[in-house]
Amino acid sequence: MKGFILAAGLGTRLRPLTERVAKPALPVLGVPTFWFGAWHMARELGLTEIAINFSHAPDTLRAAALDPDLIAASGVKFHFSDESSELLGSSGALWKIRDWVGASSLAVLNGDCICLPTWKRLQKQHQKAKGLMTIHLRHHQGSAESYTVVQCDAHGRVTDFLPKAQSGVMFTGASLIEGLALRRLPTGKSELMATLLKPLSEERQLFATVEDVPWLDTGSPATYAEAHFSLLAVLPALRPLVELKMRETAPGVWVPRGWPAGRWRATVQGPACLYGEYDEWRPFLDDPSSSIGPRVVALVAPPRGSKPLGGEIYFAGGRIPV
């Protein structure tokens, strides 16, 4: 079995954060977003080979994928699929790596959200059903976004896809696909719903397992910030990965591991996540009148003279209220 992380989106809803950075490469508690799924996938399924596609800001995604600390922790070797000249869509991306996959089964996950499906459970269902594809579903209730509602029968076979709604059963983006299914994809750009999901459902070859695991979206500034504050509360298994990059200096206050230990004169209120070099932050941390946070995500130190207030993301180009 091999793995695949879909990471070629443009991240338009996260601009200006994604103007120079690929959305899946943006950090959540110091770890590039796509790495959470890759690490979990590799650990549960024993994978060492995972493909990842890219288009926008490819250098940032390559650098994140080649991070030596995260590679050492996971044992993953990435295969890169370049879509910088043309975005191929959710199933066009699968078409492009079909030769790399060969006859293997393929575990697929979206790189711009954080979800830890029980891959072994999904694998068991996939092997039992003997279909060409098995997808991972979860219930959602009153969500801020609307998602396509998936219907299944008592045997776990997917029977229909209903219009988007804020409540129902949604596809998390995680799936297992047989390499044989990739051979039926059309050449070039295509989308998963039209080329695999609906046709396989009609052929009774599409199955699903429903598992109500946390699913953290990073698609907007508000949800990206919220992922920082809720990640370890809802997914405590990810703490060892976070601690490769960040250190918790007080409850909910995370800073890069390279920052020196010691007490600061400033008041830093959690939850807060501060990135960047320690020397950038020294004017704020040495100032006893500074009160930083809570609910701050600062990708870089704010401009000299301004203090990070609660409910904001700071980045190189300014700040975004969340």
Side-chain angles (χ1 to χ4, degrees):
M1 183 178 291
K2 295 180 178 180
F4 184 40
I5 306 290
L6 288 159
L10 300 178
T12 53
R13 289 191 300 141
L14 258 182
R15 289 178 181 167
L17 299 180
T18 51
E19 284 182 351
R20 296 184 178 88
V21 181
K23 177 182 171 183
L26 280 172
V28 176
L29 289 184
V31 178
T33 305
F34 74 86
W35 258 111
F36 292 110
W39 178 76
H40 177 68
M41 177 191 285
R43 187 178 61 166
E44 282 235 330
L45 294 174
L47 302 184
T48 57
E49 293 184 273
I50 298 179
I52 188 166
N53 63 342
F54 60 80
S55 58
H56 171 64
D59 291 345
T60 62
L61 195 132
R62 277 184 176 273
L66 296 175
D67 184 289
D69 296 331
L70 299 174
I71 289 175
S74 65
V76 168
K77 179 182 179 181
F78 279 102
H79 168 83
F80 296 102
S81 181
D82 187 354
E83 295 182 26
S84 55
S85 60
E86 181 187 16
L87 274 173
L88 293 175
S90 53
S91 63
L94 293 169
W95 164 80
K96 186 166 185 177
I97 64 167
R98 67 197 184 285
D99 291 337
W100 177 79
V101 175
S104 299
S105 298
L106 184 68
V108 182
L109 190 67
N110 290 337
D112 59 357
C113 62
I114 301 172
C115 177
L116 305 186
T118 305
W119 283 105
K120 290 180 181 178
R121 177 180 173 182
L122 192 66
Q123 185 180 37
K124 184 177 179 179
Q125 166 73 351
H126 185 65
Q127 292 171 341
K128 179 182 177 181
K130 297 181 180 179
L132 289 177
M133 185 175 182
T134 304
I135 61 177
H136 183 261
L137 309 176
R138 68 183 288 273
H139 290 91
H140 65 291
Q141 182 68 39
S143 60
E145 299 284 340
S146 294
Y147 302 99
T148 299
V149 175
V150 184
Q151 285 191 330
C152 302
D153 64 18
H155 303 289
R157 184 179 282 110
V158 176
T159 58
D160 205 358
F161 295 92
L162 303 181
K164 290 184 177 182
Q166 291 176 299
S167 298
V169 180
M170 61 173 282
F171 176 31
T172 66
S175 64
L176 290 176
I177 309 174
E178 291 303 304
L180 180 63
L182 305 188
R183 297 292 166 180
R184 60 189 289 165
L185 292 172
T187 300
K189 186 175 182 178
S190 64
E191 297 298 336
L192 198 63
M193 183 63 76
T195 60
L196 280 183
L197 295 181
K198 284 189 174 180
L200 289 179
S201 175
E202 292 168 358
E203 296 167 22
R204 299 170 63 85
Q205 287 287 320
L206 180 64
F207 292 82
T209 183
V210 181
E211 182 186 23
D212 289 334
V213 295
W215 187 81
L216 302 181
D217 185 18
T218 62
S220 69
T223 57
Y224 173 65
E226 186 57 39
H228 282 77
F229 307 138
S230 61
L231 178 75
L232 295 183
V234 299
L235 295 170
L238 291 174
R239 191 178 188 95
L241 197 62
V242 170
E243 289 180 340
L244 291 173
K245 293 296 181 184
M246 304 290 279
R247 181 165 54 87
E248 191 175 24
T249 64
V253 177
W254 290 87
V255 300
R257 290 200 64 82
W259 283 25
R263 295 184 177 180
W264 304 316
R265 300 178 71 190
T267 300
V268 184
Q269 306 173 64
C273 185
L274 313 182
Y275 295 96
E277 298 297 325
Y278 179 75
D279 285 345
E280 293 179 293
W281 283 93
R282 193 182 296 274
F284 305 95
L285 300 177
D286 286 350
D287 182 355
S289 67
S290 285
S291 180
I292 301 172
R295 299 184 68 80
V296 162
V297 177
L299 299 178
V300 296
R304 187 179 295 272
S306 66
K307 297 174 183 178
L309 305 174
E312 291 187 316
I313 297 177
Y314 282 74
F315 64 102
R319 61 191 185 188
I320 304 174
V322 294

